[in-house]
Amino acid sequence: MVYYFCSVISSTSNLYLCTKHSCNAMQKLLTLFFCLIGLQLSAQTTLPSVQEVYKIFQNKCTSCHSGATPAGGLDLVGTGATELLRAQNVATKLVNVNPANAFAASQGYKRIYPGRADRSFLFRKINRGLEPTIGALHANEGSEMPKDFPANALSDLEKEIIRQWILFGAKSTGTLFSKSVVETFYNVGGEKSFPDGPPPGPAPGEGFQIKMGPFFLAPDGEVEYYQKWELTLPEDVEVNGIDFKISPFSHHFLLYNFTGNGANSIPAGLRLNANHNQINLVAAVQEATDLRLPGKTAFKWDNNLVLDLNSHYINYSLTKPYQCEAYVNVYTQPTGTADQEMFAALLVNPQIPIPNSGDLVTHTKSEFELGADSIYIWGLMGHTHKYGRGYKVWKRQPNGQKGDLIYDASCSMGVPGCGSPWYDYQHIPIRYWEPLLPIKWGNGLIHEAQWVNEGPAPVNFGPTSDDEMMVLIAFYTEQPLTVDTEEPKQLEDTQTITVTPNPVNGTATFTLQDNVSSAYEFRLMDMTGQVVLRQSDLQGNIFEIDLTQILPGFYVFEVDGRIGKLLKM
């Protein structure tokens, strides 16, 4: 018998020895091939995330944090027969443990606060600018780490691995995130949701900012995460505006709040499963949207309210990883300012089988509560995925039939009756009413969506972009408003650029709605992130671009920092 076998010489070096019993040249080559495959697979072995973090501690932190009297009373070497056991032992000294620093403890920080890098004292000490929203340490927080900086400085990649472990819940078991995607982003390059840095938060005294992420997507990847977010406000507040800052690669962002004990069973950190119980919708958007509520209305939040953030990102690039982030600017006012509380509802039709026949499929659902009082609608927005072809809402008559058509997602601003209806599932409009629209909820509404599935398989209701949805988001009060209010501020007001016509089949006219004094550049990018058209040295507020040679499809354009989307027919 002739055979080779590969044996491990050292578990730490991962060297392999090919031993001969009897052989020929071809067998040697085959054996060498399989030995090399074994070596490669061994080198690619994925370690638990806590162990990856532990390795960084050993390389950069244990010169001070070890021995009988470790700095800050924190030993980062740990005990245990294996590296993993030592890593898990160190985690018990960090996760949800109060810091020795009195000021940090008074702020509610933990050495490691699962899910929250901003409230993790260890990360605050090593941050050194990686997370710009954290800022400089308070004088009472002590010095940055490591103390022998820059000799033992942590690289941005090392700090990111620690941050990712925290954001995914600082668990002691399991591979919580893809280290290889993070390494590619830092060592090779990638795209960012906010390449110019975080958007500014509300001014002091006007509110606060919430950040979700970053998390990293491989090329052509897609993910939807939830994250429990505990507020620690000095007092109860009224929320009169929520400005959602998300990138064009974001599919949607939803904001919920837990009620009762609903948050107690939800783990900290980014998670894939909603596990929703005892929860209310606060707001839902599909693109960057500044929701400024009508005057005399507000959401009412307790100082210790627990929110649930829901972010869905798609990496349209086929070659680069994507750093996903979302920011929520919350604008507040003192309690007692608003006359009416604003509510939000998610009206869902989960029964929407859609065969892949290429035919138009319609599903309709009534929403009402017999005997209920009237509600007063401020805004409506439909939601489907890529096979969607339309979304409409009617008042429901007492006999259950359709009454007045009040919302058409194929028209600008959702107002029915437009001359050239066009449904863009990625930019479904919100329709606002001021004064608010009274609806007898005993009669209710009827909403209807349509799809054409020309894909490879039938689809039904589901969370990914390859599934479909039929969801109506409604903002409303339970009492009427009798005061005049300002028009709600929307994306069109803040984007400061328009394109006509849209959809476009030839030449498009772009209008910048504010003065531009210097030359600027136009870039058109496809949904993979590749620049397909660039034109420089543009001047003035109005210019034309010939798109005749551009292939049909959705595109993102950028002009002097302003971002928009268009459809080429």
Side-chain angles (χ1 to χ4, degrees):
M1 180 178 292
V2 179
Y3 62 93
Y4 270 68
F5 66 89
C6 298
S7 60
V8 179
I9 294 177
S10 166
S11 61
T12 56
S13 65
N14 286 330
L15 294 178
Y16 283 75
L17 173 66
C18 296
T19 304
K20 174 186 174 186
H21 282 241
S22 63
C23 64
N24 57 37
M26 180 59 70
Q27 289 167 332
K28 287 181 180 180
L29 289 174
L30 288 173
T31 301
L32 177 60
F33 171 77
F34 286 112
C35 288
L36 290 174
I37 290 295
L39 177 60
Q40 183 181 29
L41 291 175
S42 175
Q44 293 176 348
T45 299
T46 302
L47 296 176
S49 298
V50 68
Q51 194 170 349
E52 297 284 7
V53 171
Y54 180 79
K55 286 179 175 293
I56 297 171
F57 291 159
Q58 303 318 293
N59 290 334
K60 298 294 178 71
C61 306
T62 53
S63 60
C64 295
H65 292 280
S66 62
T69 56
L74 177 60
D75 171 34
L76 293 178
V77 175
T79 59
T82 66
E83 185 178 68
L84 176 57
L85 289 175
R86 292 191 293 275
Q88 292 170 333
N89 175 257
V90 168
T92 65
K93 304 173 186 179
L94 294 173
V95 179
N96 283 320
V97 175
N98 291 328
N101 181 282
F103 177 82
S106 72
Q107 300 301 302
Y109 301 154
K110 302 294 183 182
R111 282 176 170 171
I112 294 295
Y113 196 117
R116 297 286 296 274
D118 61 313
R119 300 182 69 180
S120 295
F121 189 51
L122 183 148
F123 183 79
R124 295 177 66 86
K125 298 278 276 186
I126 67 170
N127 178 40
R128 292 184 181 269
L130 179 70
E131 176 49 67
T133 63
I134 289 180
L137 291 175
H138 188 277
N140 293 334
E141 290 185 82
S143 60
E144 294 177 311
M145 294 293 160
K147 280 190 174 181
D148 54 353
F149 181 89
N152 251 348
L154 275 72
S155 68
D156 283 352
L157 172 59
E158 290 172 321
K159 289 185 283 187
E160 188 63 75
I161 289 171
I162 295 172
R163 175 165 64 172
Q164 290 298 299
W165 176 61
I166 295 171
L167 291 178
F168 280 89
K171 298 177 177 65
S172 292
T173 58
T175 301
L176 308 180
F177 61 94
S178 173
K179 180 188 173 188
S180 64
V181 174
V182 178
E183 287 176 327
T184 301
F185 179 86
Y186 278 93
N187 294 335
V188 180
E191 302 290 344
K192 296 182 177 182
S193 298
F194 294 88
D196 296 327
E206 292 187 358
F208 56 92
Q209 185 179 78
I210 295 170
K211 178 182 179 180
M212 186 175 184
F215 49 91
F216 294 83
L217 267 180
D220 198 32
E222 176 180 0
V223 73
E224 180 172 3
Y225 283 125
Y226 298 82
Q227 183 181 6
K228 180 170 69 174
W229 189 278
E230 300 158 323
L231 296 180
T232 54
L233 304 176
E235 58 186 359
D236 298 346
V237 295
E238 292 181 351
V239 175
N240 57 19
I242 305 177
D243 188 2
F244 295 91
K245 305 288 190 181
I246 54 180
S247 90
F249 282 18
S250 174
H251 180 269
H252 70 244
F253 190 95
L254 277 70
L255 183 63
Y256 301 90
N257 70 269
F258 289 101
T259 62
N261 297 320
N264 293 353
S265 61
I266 301 298
L270 297 169
R271 68 187 197 277
L272 291 171
N273 297 320
N275 295 328
H276 277 167
N277 185 27
Q278 293 180 282
I279 200 161
N280 290 328
L281 177 72
V282 177
V285 298
Q286 284 190 256
E287 55 191 342
T289 304
D290 191 353
L291 287 176
R292 297 301 174 103
L293 275 60
K296 300 298 182 180
T297 71
F299 298 112
K300 296 186 177 182
W301 288 7
D302 294 338
N303 68 309
N304 59 353
L305 185 72
V306 181
L307 302 171
D308 205 30
L309 319 178
N310 172 211
S311 179
H312 183 171
Y313 263 94
I314 302 171
N315 185 358
Y316 293 106
S317 172
L318 301 179
T319 59
K320 296 180 180 180
Y322 195 76
Q323 183 196 62
C324 307
E325 294 180 329
Y327 296 82
V328 183
N329 287 345
V330 181
Y331 293 89
T332 62
Q333 61 192 24
T335 56
T337 304
D339 290 340
Q340 298 294 334
E341 183 174 3
M342 184 66 73
F343 299 94
L346 207 61
L347 306 175
V348 179
N349 183 5
Q351 304 301 323
I352 53 168
I354 305 168
N356 58 328
S357 61
D359 298 327
L360 187 68
V361 176
T362 302
H363 288 291
T364 305
K365 189 170 186 288
S366 295
E367 308 284 356
F368 64 97
E369 182 180 347
L370 291 175
D373 294 332
S374 293
I375 63 172
Y376 300 85
I377 291 180
W378 174 52
L380 290 176
M381 182 181 75
H383 177 74
T384 70
H385 289 175
K386 62 185 177 184
Y387 296 126
R389 294 296 183 269
Y391 209 118
K392 294 180 179 180
V393 182
W394 293 262
K395 289 183 178 179
R396 181 178 177 274
Q397 296 180 333
N399 62 2
Q401 300 301 307
K402 295 174 181 175
D404 294 336
L405 178 65
I406 60 173
Y407 175 81
D408 186 348
S410 298
C411 292
S412 175
M413 310 301 292
V415 179
C418 56
S420 301
W422 177 259
Y423 184 79
D424 178 0
Y425 80 95
Q426 292 180 308
H427 304 92
I428 298 177
I430 302 176
R431 183 180 182 185
Y432 297 98
W433 284 268
E434 294 190 23
L436 308 185
L437 175 69
I439 295 290
K440 294 181 179 179
W441 199 238
N443 297 336
L445 302 171
I446 296 175
H447 56 128
E448 180 176 280
Q450 294 182 315
W451 301 262
V452 174
N453 179 2
E454 297 175 327
V459 297
N460 212 315
F461 190 94
T464 77
S465 60
D466 290 326
D467 300 309
E468 268 303 335
M469 279 196 174
M470 179 177 171
V471 176
L472 180 66
I473 298 102
F475 299 97
Y476 67 96
T477 66
E478 294 179 341
Q479 299 294 330
L481 290 177
T482 58
V483 296
D484 292 332
T485 58
E486 297 179 358
E487 288 296 316
K489 188 177 182 182
Q490 303 177 59
L491 181 63
E492 287 79 6
D493 299 324
T494 60
Q495 197 175 14
T496 68
I497 186 169
T498 59
V499 54
T500 55
N502 192 8
V504 58
N505 193 30
T507 298
T509 300
F510 296 82
T511 303
L512 281 69
Q513 297 171 358
D514 51 357
N515 293 324
V516 181
S517 58
S518 59
Y520 50 87
E521 180 182 72
F522 170 89
R523 294 191 306 152
L524 185 70
M525 293 155 283
D526 63 21
M527 299 312 289
T528 70
Q530 300 299 309
V531 176
V532 298
L533 181 64
R534 187 191 304 265
Q535 189 165 330
S536 302
D537 298 324
L538 295 169
Q539 295 184 347
N541 286 49
I542 301 175
F543 62 92
E544 293 184 344
I545 299 291
D546 184 2
L547 302 176
T548 305
Q549 302 302 316
I550 300 298
L551 294 174
F554 287 103
Y555 293 87
V556 176
F557 61 86
E558 189 269 336
V559 182
D560 194 39
R562 302 158 176 83
I563 295 176
K565 295 184 181 180
L566 61 83
L567 175 64
K568 172 61 167 53
M569 298 293 291

